[in-house]
Amino acid sequence: MKFAALAALLFTGSSQAAPPPFDFDDLLPLLPSFSNSTQGPISVLSSTTGSGFGICDSLAEFTPEYCQCVDNDGGATFKCVVDMQGYDTVQLTMEMDLCEQPASVSFDLVDANGIEFTESFASGDSGVAPTGIMVGVPAVGDAEVLLSYEISGDLEALQLTFGFDLGVTILGYQNLCSDYYPDKCPVTFLDTTLELDPDGCA
């Protein structure tokens, strides 16, 4: 799992994105950078406490040092402190409620200025959510952090894909990193299929 800090085209009359008005490479280091973000199916270990799934042990290899994981009866909670290269600090909480019907994952992001984004996504949801968290970058302006998400399947094969994109508004139009550099953005921090034992919800 890659835990790391970081939709519309600039209207040009063309279906193709014009060259970016600035180099998004200058912004990419702001996003959380995690190793091993993309994994094959992970069979989640049985909980050592006798309840729940033991998510933390199963994903320990992919959890960065600036994140802490706590198992609970319905899944797990990850708490991370993301330093965005000194421009901002984001407190990120991701809570997996896997015994909900359907399974859901909720996010809470709070930056150093107290701006907060809270949202919950359930199996079957996908899209890009603006967080309202802005990072001021000299010579570029304010870049907004966006959360990309996709959840599908059920407990026996639950696909989770989450990442961060960056958006900069120029002359009233929002330019996304993923519009210009789809091979670089969004920066994926979790892309895996969890194979869970439904008895973990008993």
Side-chain angles (χ1 to χ4, degrees), residues 101-188:
Q101 296 294 328
S104 65
V105 179
S106 61
F107 287 87
D108 184 81
L109 284 73
V110 183
D111 77 349
N113 298 312
I115 298 174
E116 184 171 11
F117 166 82
T118 301
E119 191 61 80
S120 181
F121 308 106
S123 182
D125 291 341
S126 63
V128 178
T131 67
I133 293 175
M134 310 295 291
V135 182
V137 182
V140 173
D142 289 334
E144 182 176 14
V145 178
L146 301 101
L147 175 66
S148 64
Y149 58 92
E150 182 175 359
I151 309 177
S152 61
D154 55 21
L155 285 179
E156 294 182 340
L158 185 65
Q159 174 66 38
L160 303 172
T161 305
F162 300 109
F164 288 113
D165 206 344
L166 284 170
V168 176
T169 299
I170 298 177
L171 299 177
Y173 297 111
Q174 188 179 55
N175 301 265
L176 297 188
C177 177
S178 56
D179 288 336
Y180 300 102
Y181 303 116
D183 58 328
K184 297 181 179 180
C185 295
V187 174
T188 302

Side-chain angles (χ1 to χ4, degrees), residues 60-131:
E61 178 183 354
F62 315 114
T63 303
E65 60 183 13
Y66 50 85
C67 295
Q68 294 182 333
C69 178
V70 177
D71 285 312
N72 54 49
D73 288 345
T77 299
F78 293 86
K79 292 182 179 291
C80 308
V81 179
V82 181
D83 179 9
M84 303 184 76
Q85 300 297 313
Y87 291 106
D88 201 349
T89 300
V90 176
Q91 309 273 345
L92 183 156
T93 300
M94 180 177 72
E95 185 165 355
M96 296 181 176
D97 294 314
L98 305 180
C99 291
E100 293 290 321
Q101 296 294 328
S104 65
V105 179
S106 61
F107 287 87
D108 184 81
L109 284 73
V110 183
D111 77 349
N113 298 312
I115 298 174
E116 184 171 11
F117 166 82
T118 301
E119 191 61 80
S120 181
F121 308 106
S123 182
D125 291 341
S126 63
V128 178
T131 67

